[in-house]
Amino acid sequence: MDSGIKVTRETEFYQGFIRFKMSVSNETPFVITNVNLDFRFDDDLLRIDIYEPSSYQTKNGKIILGNIDSGRSKSIAVLFDPLLCSKGTDLDCFVTYKDAQGKFNSAFMDSKTISVVCPMLKTDSDINIGRLKEFIEKLPSRDSKVYEIHQGFEISKLAGIARKVVEKHDVRHIRTLHTTDGRNCEIWYYGKTKVHKDDIVIRISIVADRCILELFAATKSAEVLTGLLAEIGRDLKHGVEVRASGKGNVINVTIKDSVIQRSNLLDLCDMDGTCPVNLIVEDSLIQHSNIGSRRDGEELKRKEIEEQEKLKRQQEEEEEARLKKAEEERLRRQLEEAARNAEEIKRKIQDELRRQREEAERKQREEERNRKEKEALERKQWEEKERKQREEKERKRREEEEKARREREEQEKRRKQREELERKKLEEAEKAQAPRQTVQNPAQKKVPPKKPGSSSGKGILVFSLIFGVLLIGAAVSFFGLNDDSDDSPQEIQTVSATASSENTEEDTSETTASSAQTSSSQNSDTYTNSIGMEFVKIPAGEFMMGSPSGEKDKCSDEGPVHKVMIEEPYYLGKYEVTQEQWLEVMGSNPSRFEGDNLPVEKVSWDDVQKFIEKLNEMEGTNKYRLQSEAEWEYACRAGTTTRYYFGDDESKLGDYAWYGDNSGWETHPVGQKKPNPWGLYDMYGNVLEWCQDRWHDNYNGAPSDGNAWEDGGSSLRVKRGGGWNDKDRYCRSADRRGFDPGRLSSYEGYAHFEYLGFRVLMDI
């Protein structure tokens, strides 16, 4: 018990009740608040009748004492009504309060064991009024229960009811006294307990002036007295309510100690049994001391014997009826107990099944959450890696640009040097030519003039000019070829690369045409609707659904492997539904990665159902729907039995799918990767694809005709095929997952599920 709180208690037996007095003292230096008393006891044995003072409030079965100042205490008296007799039952009290810091604290009261003994009565001898009065005076434990009767108060009728109730307990009737005006009546009984042979006196008092009925008893033991008043009091109140007053019209009246031992009619009689003339004595089985006639005595004795025999027969009949009723009640209780046990077993089984189901769902959610967290971590690592790669690429690009800039500056510098060299050479050539002309002119003056028609001087001048020009040209050619040697091959190489690129594009076009021709040859039956959605006809057939036990990366929800028969062919979307097609049907685009030919994403299962409903209205049909999980896997495998429809080697997955290792963590236009053998694109990766089925933990009980499995299971819906953010193991043909059909808010680090899309099936 908390050292700062002191709880004291005491008990006493009072008017057939157990009065429990309790005091709570605050020995701390601070005020304690919100003090509550929570009594703990066996509800089958005890019941709280009233408590005093009644000003205390109750809440949820607890009595609220409120606040207690430092060094003060609060007390309460609680009256417990014993419902059954018991050798001992524990009464506990749990005290809760708030300390000065506002923290909740508690204290336990020491348990109090309470016993209520219902005596086994047996009476073989009679007593007279004198002995009766002596017993009343000497028996130490005396108490009474008083009932106020609001309706149907009739003394004679109430007296008859009281006698039938009391005499069931094997006590002997001593006297019935009533006044001549009929306003007061007393019925006296005497008996002994079977075990300890203790004397018991019982009195029934009926007072018309106050409309009350009092049950008085006196005996040696307080425990026996309380049990006696509780047992007979309940039967007496019930009998009056049933036969005279009506339920709710008999009220317990709590009386004070000072009025318990009130005067009674028996006090008016002498010790020899002589009573005043205004007091009528009835049903007396004891010989009066003032009766002197022998004949009268014999007559009284005869009547006494007859009355005893009558009473004995009546008691035997009542005992037999009581035993019969008790046996019937025992059988009824056994049947009720058996029914309760069966119901309890059923409830426990249902609770266990529900618990197992909830545990399985919890584990599934936990696995899904762990997977999401792992994928989020991988995504974060991938983005960090991509960021570093982009930074490294940007750094290299800047280095290359800087290198190219320096090369251009170096080339420009060399060009200027060439021009300067050419200019100097030209000037030197011109200077070399000028002295020649200067030397030749004096000679020409000394030489006699030639005859007209002579051309030797002109020829020499022309030859010199031609020689100089040739010399300059040779120098220019020599230096120009050396400086431009790096540029010419680049131009040649560029032209060659362009030609190569053109050839490559031509080869690619031829390859694409060849691939399309091959695909068409594999499955030539196709269909295109009014909004450009292309469909491929999937033939009827059968396949083994699920992953075998030895498959790499197999999960428990992919088995058991079972045969599925697809009885009718159907059209399945050649590509995943694009954003352009969604926008044309729905009028808005929910996708994160925007592009007309990109697959639509961020769509819930419920959104897909609305799209299909509107598409059917636009096309004037009801043949469009989501494929079942079996129809999806059948079309995906396309007759194959390996992990992927191209084999078991995951290293080839990049040729067929956009997934975590090659997607750059975003969606891509549909149809860019290789199709499966039946001409379907992006069955792996890009976006996960909704199916019609509800999620089940395995294939036990799954349909074998290819229809959607919509009964049982959980509220989740199936998604297949893997997405742009998935590892290769989640893109296998047998891989399957479940998800909430209407939930698209931010969850576990993923922004609005930009990896969820679908493709459409059209019935033929």
Side-chain angles (χ1 to χ4, degrees):
M1 184 178 295
D2 193 322
S3 59
I5 301 298
K6 182 178 180 182
V7 180
T8 58
R9 78 281 191 279
E10 63 179 10
T11 57
E12 64 178 350
F13 296 97
Y14 170 71
Q15 299 181 25
F17 295 98
I18 300 168
R19 176 186 280 174
F20 184 84
K21 297 179 181 179
M22 180 176 176
S23 176
V24 180
S25 301
N26 178 13
E27 297 183 348
T28 68
F30 306 102
V31 177
I32 60 174
T33 60
N34 296 344
V35 181
N36 295 333
L37 303 181
D38 185 8
F39 286 97
R40 311 284 179 85
F41 52 86
D42 192 340
D43 294 338
D44 294 332
L45 301 179
L46 297 175
R47 177 183 66 85
I48 294 179
D49 188 71
I50 58 173
Y51 57 87
E52 299 173 347
S54 59
S55 58
Y56 292 134
Q57 296 181 351
T58 60
K59 184 177 181 181
N60 298 328
K62 300 178 182 179
I63 300 176
I64 303 174
L65 297 186
N67 302 339
I68 303 179
D69 295 332
S70 175
R72 305 296 298 273
S73 64
K74 286 190 176 182
S75 301
I76 188 171
V78 183
L79 269 65
F80 288 93
D81 184 13
L83 303 177
L84 296 173
C85 300
S86 171
K87 292 183 179 179
T89 181
D90 289 336
L91 177 61
D92 299 313
C93 184
F94 186 54
V95 183
T96 60
Y97 63 94
K98 284 185 179 180
D99 59 17
Q101 287 77 31
K103 297 181 179 179
F104 275 101
N105 286 277
S106 60
F108 282 98
M109 179 196 76
D110 294 336
S111 296
K112 173 65 177 178
T113 302
I114 297 175
S115 61
V116 178
V117 180
C118 293
M120 299 290 292
L121 304 180
K122 182 173 179 62
T123 304
D124 297 325
S125 60
D126 296 323
I127 62 172
N128 55 27
I129 288 180
R131 290 287 291 162
L132 189 63
K133 296 179 74 172
E134 289 178 2
F135 284 138
I136 294 173
E137 293 298 329
K138 75 176 184 178
L139 292 175
S141 298
R142 291 167 289 182
D143 209 341
S144 64
K145 293 179 74 74
V146 179
Y147 302 98
E148 188 177 80
I149 302 172
H150 291 173
Q151 184 177 333
F153 190 89
E154 183 181 340
I155 289 183
S156 59
K157 188 173 185 179
L158 292 175
I161 295 172
R163 290 194 61 175
K164 287 188 177 181
V165 170
V166 176
E167 290 170 7
K168 289 180 180 179
H169 294 272
D170 198 11
V171 292
R172 183 172 293 277
H173 173 252
I174 304 302
R175 289 286 189 278
T176 297
L177 308 175
H178 61 82
T179 58
T180 54
D181 59 3
R183 304 295 294 173
N184 295 326
C185 178
E186 289 183 358
I187 309 171
W188 290 87
Y189 295 92
Y190 167 75
K192 283 181 176 290
T193 61
K194 286 185 177 180
V195 179
H196 299 290
K197 305 298 182 181
D198 293 333
D199 295 306
I200 296 176
V201 174
I202 300 174
R203 183 195 72 206
I204 301 294
S205 296
I206 306 172
V207 181
D209 293 339
R210 299 177 59 187
C211 293
I212 62 172
L213 185 149
E214 180 184 4
L215 169 63
F216 168 83
T219 186
K220 180 179 180 181
S221 169
E223 288 87 350
V224 172
L225 176 63
T226 302
L228 182 66
L229 290 177
E231 186 173 0
I232 298 179
R234 277 193 303 274
D235 294 345
L236 184 60
K237 181 179 178 182
H238 176 72
V240 174
E241 284 182 336
V242 171
R243 300 181 56 188
S245 180
K247 191 168 183 63
N249 291 315
V250 179
I251 308 299
N252 277 0
V253 179
T254 302
I255 60 178
K256 304 298 181 183
D257 294 340
S258 60
V259 297
I260 289 180
Q261 302 303 330
R262 59 167 55 87
S263 60
N264 51 66
L265 299 181
L266 189 65
D267 293 339
L268 302 177
C269 299
D270 297 334
M271 294 296 289
D272 61 357
T274 303
C275 300
V277 294
N278 64 338
L279 192 63
I280 301 174
V281 181
E282 294 181 354
D283 300 329
S284 175
L285 303 181
I286 307 300
Q287 181 177 356
H288 285 254
S289 60
N290 60 349
I291 298 178
S293 171
R294 184 176 181 181
R295 181 177 297 175
D296 293 339
E298 292 177 354
E299 182 66 20
L300 287 174
K301 188 174 182 179
R302 184 183 62 80
K303 288 182 178 181
E304 178 184 351
I305 294 173
E306 291 177 354
E307 185 67 24
Q308 289 178 348
E309 292 177 350
K310 180 180 178 182
L311 181 59
K312 185 176 180 181
R313 287 195 303 271
Q314 182 180 357
Q315 290 176 344
E316 289 175 352
E317 292 174 355
E318 291 178 351
E319 180 66 16
E320 183 179 356
R322 187 183 66 79
L323 292 175
K324 183 178 179 181
K325 184 178 180 180
E327 181 65 18
E328 292 175 351
E329 181 68 15
R330 186 183 65 80
L331 293 175
R332 183 185 65 80
R333 290 181 179 178
Q334 286 181 350
L335 292 175
E336 291 178 351
E337 183 67 20
R340 282 195 301 270
N341 291 339
E343 187 67 25
E344 181 68 16
I345 292 173
K346 181 179 178 181
R347 184 187 63 79
K348 287 182 178 179
I349 293 174
Q350 292 175 347
D351 290 345
E352 180 63 20
L353 292 175
R354 182 174 64 255
R355 187 193 64 77
Q356 292 177 359
R357 184 170 62 253
E358 291 175 350
E359 181 66 17
E361 293 178 355
R362 186 193 64 77
K363 288 183 179 179
Q364 180 181 346
R365 289 193 298 269
E366 183 71 19
E367 291 175 357
E368 185 73 10
R369 183 171 66 254
N370 292 338
R371 188 182 68 83
K372 298 291 187 183
E373 290 176 352
K374 184 177 180 181
E375 291 176 352
L377 180 60
E378 291 175 351
R379 176 180 180 179
K380 185 176 180 181
Q381 293 173 347
W382 178 269
E383 290 175 347
E384 181 66 19
K385 181 180 178 181
E386 286 288 308
R387 184 185 64 79
K388 290 181 178 179
Q389 289 178 352
R390 287 194 299 270
E391 291 177 353
E392 180 66 19
K393 186 177 180 181
E394 182 66 18
R395 185 185 63 78
K396 290 181 178 180
R397 184 185 65 78
R398 288 196 297 268
E399 290 178 352
E400 291 174 356
E401 289 179 352
E402 180 65 20
K403 182 179 179 181
R405 184 185 63 78
R406 289 196 298 268
E407 289 177 353
R408 287 194 300 270
E409 291 178 351
E410 186 68 24
Q411 290 177 1
E412 181 67 19
K413 183 178 179 180
R414 288 198 301 270
R415 185 184 64 78
K416 290 181 179 180
Q417 289 176 350
R418 287 197 307 270
E419 291 178 353
E420 181 66 20
L421 181 61
E422 291 173 0
R423 185 183 62 77
K424 289 181 178 181
K425 288 180 179 180
L426 183 60
E427 288 178 352
E428 290 176 356
E430 290 177 351
K431 289 179 179 180
Q433 184 67 24
R436 291 176 187 173
Q437 295 178 355
T438 304
V439 172
Q440 291 176 356
N441 287 335
Q444 291 176 356
K445 291 180 180 179
K446 295 179 179 180
V447 176
K450 292 183 178 182
K451 296 181 179 180
S454 175
S455 59
S456 61
K458 293 181 181 179
I460 293 172
L461 179 60
V462 171
F463 176 79
S464 298
L465 292 173
I466 292 173
F467 179 77
V469 171
L470 290 175
L471 183 62
I472 293 171
V476 171
S477 299
F478 176 79
F479 290 106
L481 286 173
N482 289 338
D483 292 338
D484 295 337
S485 61
D486 295 333
D487 297 333
S488 297
Q490 286 184 346
E491 294 177 359
I492 296 171
Q493 185 178 359
T494 302
V495 173
S496 177
T498 303
S500 176
S501 175
E502 291 175 355
N503 293 336
T504 303
E505 290 178 358
E506 291 176 0
D507 294 342
T508 303
S509 300
E510 292 175 1
T511 303
T512 304
S514 176
S515 175
Q517 185 176 0
T518 303
S519 174
S520 177
S521 65
Q522 289 174 344
N523 193 346
S524 61
D525 197 353
T526 61
Y527 172 77
T528 303
N529 66 7
S530 64
I531 65 171
M533 298 177 69
E534 297 181 56
F535 294 85
V536 174
K537 185 177 181 181
I538 306 301
E542 65 180 34
F543 77 111
M544 300 303 293
M545 185 173 181
S547 58
S549 58
E551 182 171 306
K552 181 181 178 182
D553 298 324
K554 170 186 172 64
C555 294
S556 60
D557 55 19
E558 299 169 9
V561 177
H562 59 290
K563 181 186 289 187
V564 176
M565 173 67 72
I566 306 297
E567 298 179 353
E568 298 292 336
Y570 56 90
Y571 284 115
L572 188 62
K574 186 175 183 179
Y575 311 103
E576 293 161 331
V577 174
T578 66
Q579 296 177 27
E580 181 181 20
Q581 295 163 354
W582 179 277
L583 184 63
E584 185 167 353
V585 175
M586 303 299 289
S588 62
N589 185 5
S591 304
R592 174 192 174 188
F593 308 105
E594 295 186 358
D596 288 346
N597 206 33
L598 293 177
V600 68
E601 20 87 6
K602 283 176 59 178
V603 289
S604 68
W605 188 90
D606 295 336
D607 295 334
V608 172
Q609 299 299 320
K610 295 176 183 177
F611 173 90
I612 292 174
E613 181 180 357
K614 288 190 176 183
L615 179 61
N616 277 314
E617 291 177 0
M618 291 177 61
E619 295 291 307
T621 183
N622 61 353
K623 293 185 177 181
Y624 293 102
R625 61 178 175 85
L626 263 183
Q627 73 276 7
S628 69
E629 189 178 10
E631 290 168 335
W632 188 95
E633 187 169 333
Y634 174 68
C636 176
R637 289 187 179 277
T640 66
T641 58
T642 51
R643 295 174 68 213
Y644 306 93
Y645 50 67
F646 53 81
D648 291 323
D649 186 4
E650 63 266 18
S651 65
K652 298 180 181 179
L653 181 60
D655 296 333
Y656 297 86
W658 295 109
Y659 70 112
D661 287 352
N662 68 352
S663 67
W665 288 77
E666 61 182 3
T667 59
H668 292 263
V670 299
Q672 289 188 340
K673 294 295 184 178
K674 293 181 181 180
N676 77 347
W678 285 353
L680 298 173
Y681 290 82
D682 299 314
M683 292 299 284
Y684 303 143
N686 225 2
V687 290
L688 280 156
E689 298 178 14
W690 285 112
C691 294
Q692 184 67 27
D693 307 55
R694 287 184 179 273
W695 172 260
H696 296 75
D697 293 335
N698 52 57
Y699 287 136
N700 289 324
S704 60
D705 57 0
N707 288 330
W709 193 5
E710 300 220 52
D711 58 337
S714 70
S715 61
L716 306 180
R717 296 288 179 168
V718 174
K719 53 184 181 179
R720 298 293 295 262
W724 52 262
N725 59 331
D726 280 318
K727 290 290 187 182
D728 51 29
R729 61 178 176 272
Y730 298 118
C731 295
R732 295 175 296 109
S733 298
D735 183 78
R736 55 195 298 267
R737 280 169 272 177
F739 200 76
D740 192 325
R743 190 177 190 182
L744 284 178
S745 60
S746 181
Y747 175 71
E748 295 298 332
Y750 280 83
H752 307 291
F753 306 104
E754 56 266 24
Y755 52 82
L756 281 174
F758 69 107
R759 70 178 69 221
V760 175
L761 180 148
M762 188 180 79
D763 291 319
I764 298 178

